[in-house]
Amino acid sequence: MASKTVESHRAGAEVCHGDAECRKKSIELLGELGLPRNLFPLVDIQEFGYNRTTGFMWLVQKKSTTYTFEKIKRKVSYATEVSAFVGPRSIKKLSGVKTRELLLWLTVSEMFFADPTTKELTFKTPTGISDSCEASVFDLE
């Protein structure tokens, strides 16, 4: 079941169902926005939605998953629902994504390119902690 936030943005949104179609649409949207296309390597996606008017997107998967980005040896956890407001080269008010830092799981609330001349993607937590890495880490294999 989708959250109240998703339901409030559903009217007028492009919505698709099924893993293959949702994966394709989410990858297309990330590419269109100038973001790495493998930021959300979810498994068994049931629904993808994007409201172009509000910039709100969401992905719903059958169960939460953890993915390791091998190039940086970083584990990222994705909840059953991942949602955010997306725009050119940025993601804000992200929910459903955490990264493992030493022994702690930290919530990721934003992703953006701080400098348009570089390919370094910055990740920010709600507490203001941030880290950056090359966007190529998130390229599709």
Side-chain angles (χ1 to χ4, degrees), residues 32-112:
E32 177 185 316
L33 295 171
L35 293 161
R37 297 178 308 146
N38 197 32
L39 280 176
F40 304 116
L42 305 185
V43 177
D44 200 8
I45 305 170
Q46 297 181 312
E47 182 176 278
F48 166 77
Y50 178 52
N51 186 319
R52 288 189 182 275
T53 304
T54 63
F56 186 77
M57 66 147 273
W58 70 90
L59 293 142
V60 178
Q61 61 180 341
K62 201 169 211 167
K63 62 181 183 176
S64 60
T65 60
T66 300
Y67 183 85
T68 301
F69 289 96
E70 290 298 331
K71 291 179 183 175
I72 56 171
K73 305 290 187 229
R74 180 71 51 98
K75 283 187 178 185
V76 178
S77 171
Y78 298 92
T80 54
E81 182 179 292
V82 173
S83 64
F85 287 91
V86 296
R89 298 172 55 88
S90 71
I91 295 175
K92 296 181 189 242
K93 296 185 180 177
L94 177 63
S95 69
V97 179
K98 294 182 179 186
T99 184
R100 180 122 179 160
E101 188 68 40
L102 299 174
L103 300 174
L104 301 172
W105 282 99
L106 301 174
T107 299
V108 178
S109 60
E110 287 185 57
M111 297 180 206
F112 56 90

Side-chain angles (χ1 to χ4, degrees), residues 120-139:
E120 250 193 25
L121 190 61
T122 299
F123 301 86
K124 194 172 179 182
T125 70
T127 59
I129 297 170
S130 65
D131 194 8
S132 299
C133 68
E134 283 294 315
S136 62
V137 165
F138 306 99
D139 284 346

